[in-house]
Amino acid sequence: MSITLNTTMSSIMTNKRRVGALKSLGVVTVGDALTYYPFRVADPVPLRALREARIGERMAFSASVRGMRVVPMNVRRGYRLEAVVDDGDFAVSRHVAGAAARLVFFSYKKQYVDWLSMRLRSGAIVVIAGKPSEFNGQLQFTHPEIMTVAPGSGPADGEYSGVVQMSALKYDADTVEAGLRRISRPRPVYHASSRISSEHIHESIVQCIELLAGTGQDLPGDAATEALQTMKPMEDGGISGAGTAPAGAESRSGNAVAVGLARAIPDVLPESVRESNHLLHRAEAFLAIHDPLSTADFKRAIGTMRYEEAFVSQTALLQSRSNVRKDAALPCAGVALRDRFIESLPFPLTGGQREVIDDIGVDMAREYPMQRLLQGEVGSGKTVVAVAAMLQAAGSGHQAVLVAPTQVLAEQHHATISAMLCAIDSVETGDDPSRDALSPNDPADLIKAAESAADDGDAKGRAAVKHPVKHSGARSGKQDGAAHANTRHVPVILLTGGMKLAARRRALALAASGDPCIIVATHAAFSKTFQAPNLALVVIDEQHRFGVEQRESLRTKNDVVPHLLVMTATPIPRTAAMTWFGDLDISWLTELPGGRKPIRTFIVPEDDGRMMGSMFAHIRGRIDAGERAYVVCPRIDADDESDGDDDTSGASQIGVYDDSDAYRRESATAAANTTTSAPSQEDGDGAPSRPPLHSVAEIERRLSSLPQFRGIRFATLTGRDDDATKQQVMADFADGATPVLVATTVIEVGVDVPQASCIVIFDADRYGLSQLHQLRGRVGRGGTDSWAFLISRAEDGGPAQQRLQVIQGTLDGAQIAQADLEFRGAGDVLGDAQSGGKSGLKLLRVVKDAKIIADARERAGRLLADDPDLSGEVELAGAVLDFTRGNETFLTSS
């Protein structure tokens, strides 16, 4: 049977239980096995004679078998094999006297015991590694690793030519010296499971390597399987597996395994790249990873495969970026409407906003699609940039769609954009005398100004968001001019899943007409019923909340590919952005608009009742001044075992604070009344357990009973609420009917209430830094003084406390993102699919490997410049194609 990287494990392994265990780890083919990398290598096993043995410490030695016997186990069933060995010759080389020890093996299967008996027959020479113990006053090794040594003289010391066969028995090593070197070398350690141990994983992978190289040995019958599944007693009285060391190559040059593996596994990296970076051949790297001669050997091999991942992924990203330019897009060169919109704004744009708008304008005027990522701080003005881009599309006679992750945010965008367009007409007709008094961060003021203009008789202003102008399919220059001659001709259409059927049909019909318009939608834009035949621009807000397939569905609906602008307020370091968003042009908005005041952030220990009471008194004062306050909890209710809104899991059991005495009373009441709690989780501070989490229902009840909030109405908002409830809650909160909103992290994205000046975040030590930064950005959007209170139960000086101190010490999202990556790792911050957990990237990491990625990107760029189709690098082209097909999530950065 010809073995390749695509051969399934089930076709080469007869042990179906092990095949299933490997499959549960994602190892289905031989290629999967080779790329299931160990996370470390164990220390080399020291060579010791039996008289030098230390109980419980692993050791290796050579010995000859004096005798062997098999004893049936009547109670447990199965068999016990005992062999007595003597290390006399090896002990002489260690300058000590020889001694004897007993080797003990357990197994249910007679066939395996017979096979092992043949290997441990009297007079056999073996090399052994294991942990010594003492039983009945005699040194004993239970299930040691053994290698058989060919009798007589063999190749010169230091050489090993694979498996030697003499008579009917295959030996594992030619010489004792070769066997000792092999059995004592560092052993890879793999992420295992309850179904399969690291040793068994190692044995299976080495077996794959030998079969690929054409040197694999087949054992008679099921003994081949049993050789990889030795049995040993377990703590519960049952019997479980432990392994023997498989045969393999002793040196890396000139042996059968290395040569055969090189034939079976061609190199992926171009030879010039490999040589200039002093990297190993791919086959040699696999061998050194899974069967290393030394720790240095292992590290060099891992470095080779890490660079290969960087090179393949960056080549794929650069190719993807280049291929996009081959697609046709609708050029949008009409900027008159966009420029009039900018002139009508009641506040000046920041320098960063102007620069990004200009860059987007240049991109959209091209005949191939724009692909740009806009990353900006919370409140940095990304929405204004997006509206300018959409008006450039509409002003050129085309359609634009803005996709928001929630209905609340979509409705808010719809109201804000409609108000902005009405404000343009109001300013041009002189109907907005209050323009100079408007806040640059107050969409509500813009909406009110537009409504005022409409009330004064500007009926066309109201019609701007309801009736589109009829527009023919032909778009001459004159028609383009007519399309943007008046902003009242650019309808803003709202499309959400929660709309009534009639309204939804009207919205879909307006989009399907192809007339120039701006469509604000939720996930409904990804449905098959949504058609926009004249779509020129897709804007994705909070891009990390949408799947790749969803975004691609918009890009492939029409023959021409729309321009793409993805926006995120989640801070991502530049090195990470260049890695995971390498197919996009990247713009950063780091300058906040004028009028924004820094948010003052305080860490409040939960057990400090006096400080908690002062905090609530301060919040009451801000409410009396006409402002609003958010209170964020990680759970919906105390009895809920599931997460509320993709929040941190846990249960609720807290005290609410008036003063120190009130806090103690409430804490005691809470402890008495709490009947359920989630299982404790390992704390970031290293504690074995953490207290259960706070809930929206309990906090709302307790806060409303405090004297500080007497006479104040509370509202709650969670992911369980229906769309109508969410709408009403946000409306009441915005107009002050319920000035305190107790919510889950459903408010994290896009909720914009300019009057909100305070936010209290319970269990702040259980959130990531980027999420805390996002939540903090919900306040201070109206130009007023603002405060963020981080309620923590973390112990002083612990990692959780250090994370909160980062948030307290800076408002710079880039610094926070970098710290978040260092604290939590790329997997938690960007998502598994962007850190390697669910993609073909298994070794590459954002922060640690930034230099490797930069070097690989530079070299890949030079290679593609000379050979865009990789016609001269067939293996690399295949690897890039495989990576692209299996990693769409990586290439488009979900």
Side-chain angles (χ1 to χ4, degrees):
M1 178 181 177
S2 178
I3 306 297
T4 69
L5 293 177
N6 295 321
T7 300
T8 61
M9 298 296 289
S10 59
S11 65
I12 62 173
M13 296 182 68
T14 58
N15 187 333
K16 300 305 179 185
R17 196 166 77 174
R18 178 168 295 190
V19 170
L22 290 170
K23 185 177 181 180
S24 70
L25 298 175
V27 178
V28 178
T29 66
V30 172
D32 294 334
L34 267 58
T35 55
Y36 192 82
Y37 300 115
F39 62 90
R40 69 179 179 90
V41 287
D43 294 331
V45 180
L47 299 180
R48 291 175 186 161
L50 290 176
R51 291 193 180 274
E52 299 172 310
R54 301 172 188 173
I55 301 299
E57 291 187 15
R58 194 172 175 82
M59 58 177 283
F61 63 99
S62 68
S64 59
V65 181
R66 283 185 183 177
M68 180 271 302
R69 68 171 182 162
V70 176
V71 181
M73 297 187 297
N74 296 326
V75 178
R76 287 185 172 180
R77 297 179 295 111
Y79 304 88
R80 183 177 76 252
L81 184 150
E82 296 180 0
V84 178
V85 297
D86 186 316
D87 73 338
D89 293 339
F90 178 73
V92 170
S93 68
R94 303 283 299 174
H95 307 293
V96 297
R102 183 167 52 187
L103 312 182
V104 181
F105 300 86
F106 301 89
S107 178
Y108 286 121
K109 296 186 177 181
K110 184 68 164 61
Q111 187 178 19
Y112 167 67
V113 173
D114 291 342
W115 177 81
L116 192 58
S117 299
M118 182 174 61
R119 292 169 63 83
L120 292 174
R121 72 193 186 285
S122 181
I125 301 173
V126 292
V127 173
I128 302 163
K131 289 184 180 180
S133 61
E134 189 175 354
F135 182 74
N136 288 338
Q138 186 176 9
L139 204 62
Q140 176 174 296
F141 293 82
T142 304
H143 282 274
E145 300 173 21
I146 62 169
M147 295 182 65
T148 57
V149 180
S153 60
D157 290 353
E159 294 183 6
Y160 180 69
S161 57
V163 177
V164 180
Q165 182 170 2
M166 297 183 65
S167 302
L169 181 65
K170 297 179 180 178
Y171 296 99
D172 299 320
D174 293 339
T175 65
V176 170
E177 291 79 3
L180 287 172
R181 277 195 298 271
R182 173 164 179 76
I183 208 166
S184 64
R185 69 173 52 159
R187 187 62 55 88
V189 182
Y190 301 82
H191 288 291
S193 70
S194 60
R195 300 177 62 185
I196 186 169
S197 67
S198 174
E199 282 296 324
H200 287 169
I201 295 170
H202 178 234
E203 293 159 0
S204 301
I205 294 174
V206 172
Q207 182 186 26
C208 292
I209 289 176
E210 292 172 344
L211 290 173
L212 271 174
T215 63
Q217 54 177 321
D218 296 326
L219 301 176
D222 287 340
T225 300
E226 277 296 324
L228 298 175
Q229 193 177 359
T230 321
M231 310 307 289
K232 69 176 182 180
M234 295 192 301
E235 293 180 358
D236 60 1
I239 295 181
S240 153
T244 59
E250 170 58 27
S251 69
R252 292 291 178 238
S253 59
N255 64 70
V257 173
V259 173
L261 202 62
R263 288 195 298 266
I265 305 176
D267 208 357
V268 167
L269 291 174
E271 187 174 356
S272 59
V273 173
R274 179 162 58 85
E275 290 179 352
S276 61
N277 285 276
H278 308 290
L279 303 174
L280 300 173
H281 187 281
R282 193 170 198 240
E284 194 176 9
F286 280 137
L287 197 55
I289 288 172
H290 297 294
D291 200 18
L293 291 172
S294 64
T295 302
D297 194 24
F298 173 82
K299 289 181 178 179
R300 186 184 177 195
I302 285 289
T304 294
M305 299 312 298
R306 181 176 288 116
Y307 191 91
E308 180 187 291
E309 285 188 359
F311 196 86
V312 171
S313 63
Q314 293 303 307
T315 302
L317 283 169
L318 292 174
Q319 265 199 340
S320 173
R321 182 171 180 163
S322 176
N323 290 337
V324 166
R325 301 195 173 186
K326 300 176 182 177
D327 295 328
L330 295 172
C332 302
V335 297
L337 178 58
R338 181 202 71 180
D339 293 344
R340 289 191 2 255
F341 159 71
I342 295 172
E343 293 172 2
S344 72
L345 290 173
F347 50 84
L349 296 179
T350 65
Q353 285 175 313
R354 290 186 177 277
E355 181 179 350
V356 173
I357 289 173
D358 290 342
D359 290 342
I360 291 173
V362 172
D363 289 348
M364 291 180 62
R366 299 189 176 110
E367 294 184 351
Y368 58 83
M370 170 185 72
Q371 289 202 125
R372 184 170 291 275
L373 169 69
L374 176 58
Q375 178 179 329
E377 288 286 354
V378 175
S380 60
K382 297 186 298 298
T383 301
V384 171
V385 174
V387 172
M390 289 188 290
L391 287 177
Q392 181 169 338
S396 301
H398 306 304
Q399 295 172 303
V401 60
L402 168 63
V403 186
T406 66
Q407 180 162 332
V408 170
L409 184 54
E411 290 168 348
Q412 190 167 16
H413 278 318
H414 177 260
T416 301
I417 295 170
S418 300
M420 286 179 173
L421 299 192
C422 290
I424 299 176
D425 296 325
S426 300
V427 170
E428 290 178 342
T429 57
D431 293 335
D432 188 14
S434 62
R435 174 192 175 201
D436 294 335
L438 297 180
S439 166
N441 299 295
D442 195 344
D445 282 353
L446 291 173
I447 295 172
K448 290 176 181 176
E451 291 173 346
S452 175
D455 291 340
D456 288 340
D458 190 358
K460 292 182 179 179
R462 289 191 296 271
V465 297
K466 296 181 180 178
H467 303 294
V469 65
K470 298 301 178 184
H471 194 73
S472 65
R475 285 173 169 71
S476 64
K478 185 181 294 185
Q479 287 170 318
D480 284 351
H484 62 73
N486 196 312
T487 58
R488 301 184 184 94
H489 291 168
V490 181
V492 183
I493 301 168
L494 178 65
L495 177 63
T496 70
M499 296 174 66
K500 292 183 179 180
L501 183 59
R504 182 183 174 88
R505 285 177 174 173
R506 282 196 300 270
L508 290 171
L510 290 173
S513 70
D515 292 330
C517 62
I518 292 174
I519 305 157
V520 181
T522 57
H523 292 73
F526 304 123
S527 68
K528 294 181 180 179
T529 57
F530 175 73
Q531 298 294 329
N534 192 23
L535 185 61
L537 173 66
V538 174
V539 180
I540 304 291
D541 193 12
E542 294 304 331
Q543 57 81 34
H544 62 285
R545 298 212 168 198
F546 296 101
V548 177
E549 294 81 5
Q550 291 174 318
R551 295 201 299 272
E552 286 300 300
S553 69
L554 281 177
R555 291 170 52 81
T556 57
K557 280 182 181 289
N558 303 326
D559 293 335
V560 292
V561 178
H563 301 284
L564 175 66
L565 175 65
V566 294
M567 304 191 299
T568 181
T570 302
I572 303 169
R574 288 176 182 255
T575 54
M578 290 301 294
T579 303
W580 306 117
F581 303 96
D583 58 331
L584 306 177
D585 295 308
I586 305 175
S587 297
W588 277 270
L589 286 178
T590 57
E591 182 181 358
L592 294 181
R596 286 295 298 265
K597 295 182 179 180
I599 302 171
R600 284 172 277 188
T601 305
F602 298 91
I603 301 172
V604 181
E606 185 175 332
D607 58 2
D608 190 336
R610 188 173 299 279
M611 185 178 293
M612 296 293 290
S614 299
M615 176 189 72
F616 287 128
H618 170 79
I619 293 173
R620 175 58 188 261
R622 303 320 306 165
I623 291 172
D624 291 341
E627 297 170 8
R628 317 279 189 272
Y630 295 106
V631 179
V632 179
C633 304
R635 292 295 294 267
I636 296 176
D637 56 56
D639 295 328
D640 181 27
E641 292 294 335
S642 60
D643 295 350
D645 297 292
D646 294 327
D647 305 316
T648 312
S649 61
S652 177
Q653 179 183 353
I654 79 158
V656 175
Y657 319 87
D658 177 7
D659 53 28
S660 299
D661 292 335
Y663 168 61
R664 283 191 288 270
R665 289 194 301 272
E666 287 289 334
S667 295
T669 303
N673 293 338
T674 300
T675 58
T676 60
S677 62
S680 60
Q681 306 170 47
E682 183 181 354
D683 196 348
D685 295 341
S689 63
R690 297 182 293 188
L693 300 175
H694 298 52
S695 72
V696 169
E698 190 72 12
I699 287 294
E700 187 274 334
R701 182 183 67 81
R702 295 187 179 178
L703 291 185
S704 60
S705 68
L706 289 180
Q708 289 99 328
F709 296 112
R710 187 172 292 116
I712 298 297
R713 291 182 59 195
F714 285 73
T716 62
L717 184 67
T718 73
R720 287 184 187 169
D721 297 326
D722 57 41
D723 294 329
T725 301
K726 290 178 181 177
Q727 239 177 332
Q728 186 61 49
V729 167
M730 289 308 302
D732 291 344
F733 181 63
D735 64 22
T738 54
V740 180
L741 179 62
V742 186
T744 59
T745 53
V746 70
I747 68 163
E748 176 187 353
V749 175
V751 174
D752 192 352
V753 178
Q755 296 84 1
S757 63
C758 298
I759 184 167
V760 179
I761 306 173
F762 281 96
D763 293 306
D765 52 296
R766 309 280 279 270
Y767 293 96
L769 298 188
S770 296
Q771 190 173 32
L772 287 175
H773 184 58
Q774 279 274 64
L775 289 168
R776 178 172 59 179
R778 295 308 103 203
V779 299
R781 304 173 75 86
T784 61
D785 291 329
S786 54
W787 296 264
F789 301 99
L790 310 179
I791 312 302
S792 169
R793 287 180 279 187
E795 66 179 60
D796 291 339
Q801 185 77 4
Q802 294 173 17
R803 291 197 300 269
L804 295 183
Q805 288 170 352
V806 171
I807 289 289
Q808 184 182 38
T810 183
L811 295 171
D812 188 334
Q815 290 184 25
I816 291 170
Q818 186 68 35
D820 209 10
L821 280 170
E822 292 169 357
F823 275 119
R824 298 200 295 158
D828 291 331
V829 177
L830 298 178
D832 284 341
Q834 295 166 328
S835 67
K838 294 181 182 178
S839 74
L841 296 179
K842 300 184 178 182
L843 299 173
L844 205 60
R845 291 297 178 263
V846 174
V847 177
K848 178 181 177 182
D849 302 321
K851 292 183 179 179
I852 293 176
I853 293 166
D855 182 82
R857 188 177 183 85
E858 180 184 354
R859 294 178 187 275
R862 292 203 298 265
L863 177 66
L864 289 173
D866 297 334
D867 187 4
D869 299 324
L870 298 178
S871 56
E873 300 290 345
V874 178
E875 296 300 333
L876 176 61
V880 169
L881 182 60
D882 290 341
F883 179 87
T884 304
R885 287 173 174 171
N887 293 276
E888 290 84 357
T889 53
F890 172 82
L891 290 173
T892 44
S893 310
S894 67

